[in-house]
Amino acid sequence: METKLTWTNNELEDLVRQLNIALEASGIGIWQHNLLKNQTRWDEQLQSIYGINKGLLDVVWLESVHPDDCSRASALFEEAIRNRSDYASEFRIIRPNGAVRHIRSRAKYFVDGQGEPCFIGAEWDVTDDVLRNEQLAREREAADSSRADARYAADHDYLTGLLNRRAFDEAFAALGREAGRIVSVCHIDIDRFKDINDRFGHAGGDQVLRHVGSLLTACVGDGEIAARLGGDEFVIVSHHLSPGRDTGIVRDLRQALRRPLDIDGEPFVIECSIGLASAPSDQLASLLASSDLALYEAKRGGRNRDELFSPSLANKINAEKQLLQELKTGLRAGEVVPFYQVQVDARSYEICGLEALARWESAKGVRSPAEFLPLAAAHGLMEAIDDAILQRALFDVNRWSLADLDVPRVSVNLSAERLADPNLPAKVKQLQIPPGRISFELIETIFFDSLSGQVKRNIDKIRECGIDIEIDDLGSGHASLLGLVELRPNRVKIDRQLVLPVLENETQRRLIGSLIDIARSLDVEIVAEGVETIAHAEVLAKLGADILQGYAFGRPQPVSAITSLLQNAAITPRRKAL
């Protein structure tokens, strides 16, 4: 019996020693709290965790718990006492050296051998785990934020923060699934945005784009869409139960645009053209195209306007687009040709010049400039038309020369945008134009301000090629006397609107006489256009005009008809207008 008991005690001691080693290795500290006596025992491991040497039965736990965690940890223990249930808590402690550690505590209620209620528990330091989890949480949050940023960047315009074109297309398509609603589109374009970039630089242009983006954001309500489709093109889409919301958006936007934007210390008022279109949500297929057509009409009608789409507007614009396509085809086929109107000496009536005027010999008949030149100017075709007329005029001049006809000077119109083209002189030189045979006729409004350096250089180089310079429509535009002195054209044209009333209006005659005197003082020839009768011709000759042009001497005619006129040096003007 004694031997067996000794073996049992030895085995028990081994087990206790093994347990202590295991607890020490695990870093777990053990405590026991007697509720009746309010006494607590800590093992050495727990004292090491807390960094204190406490008295055998002292209760010092809450003195080490972090103030922010003390109430919660204490409340959990009190609840376990009341319920005689398990206790589980995590809290922070502050060690004597100021280090903060995270502690996990677990305990069970029991009654000891003396019948006294107690808790026995274990605690261990989980600081490394907590910090690792916090780091992982931060990394997950950063990753989530990065993904959110990437999604935002993929869906939004970087400059304005509005939806980009891709995200807008997706959002717009989703509206078609909301039956029973009206969808309205406000298509917005900043007027003359290129001029803004030229004036303020791209930084100023970006500032304007951001400002317009912020105004659009302020105008839209819940569920409405604002997007930048690209460049200076924006769109707002609203879906509602009844019409009228789109006009409210435009009203708010117009009011906001009236407030100037400060760009580099300069107040600048932004102007926009807006196209509007609405349709039921199940008919969205052509809605964007409709609002774009309305925007096109708003810009063509003078800009800074609102235009509402209608079927009649669509028919009009579609017809114009068809005409534009036909014009492009006609240009490639050589259908845009010069018709020539004679210019005669004001005293002898001998032909002394021709003006080449653009006509379009289409399959539907000859079309006047009013039918296609504004369209060509709006779509960047004027250079092609200028080139077509000049090339054909040169061909006709050479053909007349080969036929031993006395070829007069031919005036060819040159659009304003061509005159500022730095490549114009080189292009003209390549044509090898015979000196004295061609004159470039410039629209007077080109000279609204003083001539730019590029324009001056171009004019000088054109003159070096033996080409005269003329100014059209003197007296109806904005040319200054200083501009005339600076340019010194070979000849100027008095506008037909001044010429027509010259027979009945003495004031008009004096005005024309003054213009002629100014031109003569600059040694510039005077061409009077709009001469419809012999009476006009006689009055203008007395006033000092050098050259006459108008229906009294002939309408613009094709090359075949004008060739016969060149065989006679003088023609008889009509007494009445043709």
Side-chain angles (χ1 to χ4, degrees):
M1 176 67 69
E2 183 178 350
T3 301
K4 187 175 181 180
L5 181 61
T6 302
W7 178 85
T8 303
N9 287 336
N10 290 337
E11 185 179 37
L12 181 59
E13 289 176 1
D14 287 341
L15 288 173
V16 170
R17 187 164 49 253
Q18 292 171 13
L19 178 60
N20 288 334
I21 292 173
L23 289 173
E24 183 178 355
S26 66
I28 296 175
I30 304 299
W31 58 270
Q32 181 176 327
H33 183 69
N34 187 305
L35 298 176
L36 184 63
K37 298 177 180 177
N38 193 27
Q39 295 175 345
T40 302
R41 296 177 182 273
W42 286 11
D43 68 357
E44 292 182 2
Q45 183 66 27
L46 189 58
Q47 293 183 58
S48 176
I49 291 173
Y50 277 73
I52 60 175
N53 294 315
K54 85 175 197 65
L56 180 62
L57 301 176
D58 294 342
V59 180
V60 296
W61 170 53
L62 290 177
E63 295 174 9
S64 296
V65 176
H66 194 290
D68 293 343
D69 298 348
C70 193
S71 296
R72 180 176 56 83
S74 179
L76 288 173
F77 192 48
E78 293 294 333
E79 182 181 0
I81 293 172
R82 286 194 303 272
N83 297 330
R84 297 185 176 185
S85 60
D86 294 348
Y87 166 73
S89 179
E90 286 191 21
F91 49 84
R92 290 168 295 171
I93 64 170
I94 302 176
R95 293 165 62 95
N97 62 0
V100 176
R101 308 299 293 178
H102 294 261
I103 304 299
R104 183 171 296 161
S105 182
R106 299 289 185 268
K108 280 189 172 294
Y109 174 84
F110 75 101
V111 177
D112 67 9
Q114 286 75 39
E116 296 176 349
C118 297
F119 272 93
I120 185 166
E123 293 184 0
W124 59 100
D125 189 326
V126 293
T127 303
D128 291 344
D129 291 342
V130 170
L131 295 180
R132 187 181 303 108
N133 289 335
E134 288 178 352
Q135 177 64 26
L136 290 173
R138 285 192 296 270
E139 291 174 357
R140 282 194 298 270
E141 183 179 356
D144 291 343
S145 177
S146 178
R147 284 191 291 270
D149 290 343
R151 285 194 299 270
Y152 184 89
D155 292 342
H156 291 78
D157 171 54
Y158 75 99
L159 193 61
T160 64
L162 302 177
L163 290 182
N164 58 26
R165 182 59 188 255
R166 184 195 61 78
F168 168 77
D169 288 343
E170 292 179 358
F172 186 71
L175 295 178
R177 297 189 286 271
E178 298 186 21
R181 288 184 174 269
I182 302 296
V183 178
S184 295
V185 174
C186 302
H187 223 121
I188 303 153
D189 198 82
I190 300 175
D191 292 335
R192 300 177 180 87
F193 186 67
K194 181 181 182 300
D195 295 341
I196 294 174
N197 274 329
D198 292 342
R199 179 176 175 183
F200 297 107
H202 289 290
D206 287 349
Q207 184 179 350
V208 169
L209 292 173
R210 284 192 295 269
H211 181 68
V212 172
S214 67
L215 296 184
L216 266 59
T217 299
C219 288
V220 299
D222 293 340
E224 295 176 333
I225 302 169
R228 180 187 176 199
L229 301 186
D232 60 331
E233 185 182 0
F234 298 84
V235 68
I236 292 178
V237 177
S238 62
H239 50 105
H240 38 81
L241 297 175
S242 59
R245 170 57 182 156
D246 51 353
T247 56
I249 291 174
V250 172
R251 182 183 61 250
D252 294 343
L253 180 58
R254 288 289 182 202
Q255 184 174 356
L257 285 169
R258 293 191 192 102
R259 295 189 290 272
L261 172 65
D262 184 277
I263 306 178
D264 294 335
E266 180 180 342
F268 181 80
V269 176
I270 302 168
E271 295 182 346
C272 291
S273 298
I274 303 176
L276 300 142
S278 297
S281 55
D282 58 352
Q283 300 177 18
L284 296 187
S286 60
L287 185 55
L288 277 178
S290 298
S291 64
D292 191 50
L293 287 176
L295 174 62
Y296 171 83
E297 183 67 11
K299 295 182 80 69
R300 192 180 65 166
R303 304 177 188 271
N304 200 31
R305 299 173 58 252
D306 311 327
E307 189 73 38
L308 181 63
F309 173 82
S310 65
S312 60
L313 174 63
N315 292 336
K316 173 185 175 183
I317 294 177
N318 287 333
E320 184 178 278
K321 288 185 175 181
Q322 177 64 31
L323 181 64
L324 177 62
Q325 186 57 47
E326 291 175 2
L327 176 57
K328 290 179 178 178
T329 302
L331 273 168
R332 289 192 295 268
E335 294 177 358
V336 177
V337 299
F339 272 36
Y340 298 97
Q341 188 172 29
V342 297
Q343 297 174 335
V344 302
D345 182 273
R347 287 151 191 84
S348 68
Y349 297 155
E350 290 184 352
I351 296 175
C352 61
L354 300 173
E355 181 178 6
L357 300 165
R359 295 293 186 271
W360 178 11
E361 293 183 326
S362 72
K364 299 176 182 178
V366 177
R367 299 193 178 189
S368 69
E371 293 182 72
F372 66 92
L373 286 187
L375 184 66
H379 293 275
L381 296 180
M382 286 308 300
E383 180 175 353
I385 288 178
D386 284 352
D387 285 344
I389 298 302
L390 179 57
Q391 294 273 10
R392 187 61 178 267
L394 288 173
F395 175 81
D396 292 339
V397 166
N398 290 331
R399 185 168 58 173
W400 290 325
S401 296
L402 292 173
D404 294 327
L405 293 176
D406 183 14
V407 183
R409 164 191 42 80
V410 178
S411 298
V412 179
N413 289 320
L414 185 68
S415 56
E417 52 268 30
R418 295 296 306 282
L419 192 60
D421 179 3
N423 298 317
L424 178 63
K427 294 176 181 177
V428 170
K429 192 172 183 178
Q430 288 177 353
L431 295 174
Q432 298 181 342
I433 297 174
R437 294 299 180 90
I438 295 293
S439 177
F440 282 163
E441 191 170 300
L442 315 178
I443 304 300
E444 186 212 34
T445 49
I446 293 173
F447 307 100
F448 181 86
D449 297 316
S450 60
L451 300 176
S452 70
Q454 183 63 60
V455 169
K456 290 178 184 177
R457 289 190 294 273
N458 282 358
I459 290 175
D460 290 342
K461 291 179 180 179
I462 287 171
R463 279 183 162 143
E464 290 174 3
C465 295
I467 299 172
D468 287 352
I469 297 295
E470 302 179 6
I471 295 181
D472 194 14
D473 297 339
L474 182 67
S476 66
H478 309 280
S480 65
L481 293 179
L482 185 61
L484 289 177
V485 171
E486 188 174 12
L487 178 62
R488 291 296 181 97
N490 297 88
R491 59 194 61 84
V492 295
K493 273 186 153 184
I494 297 176
D495 183 68
R496 67 189 314 274
Q497 298 301 324
L498 297 177
V499 170
L500 288 176
V502 75
L503 298 179
E504 299 84 15
N505 192 315
E506 175 63 27
T507 301
Q508 209 77 2
R509 287 196 293 273
R510 289 199 300 270
L511 175 58
I512 291 176
S514 297
L515 291 174
I516 291 174
D517 289 341
I518 291 170
R520 286 207 177 283
S521 69
L522 298 174
D523 196 23
V524 175
E525 282 189 306
I526 300 95
V527 181
E529 62 178 351
V531 181
E532 295 198 349
T533 67
I534 186 62
H536 283 93
E538 291 172 346
V539 169
L540 290 163
K542 289 179 181 178
L543 290 173
D546 300 300
I547 300 168
L548 306 176
Q549 178 181 345
Y551 289 173
F553 306 101
R555 293 175 178 270
Q557 301 177 75
V559 63
S560 58
I562 209 73
T563 299
S564 62
L565 289 178
L566 294 177
Q567 297 171 351
N568 187 355
I571 60 175
T572 303
R574 298 177 181 271
R575 289 284 166 179
K576 296 182 180 180
L578 292 172

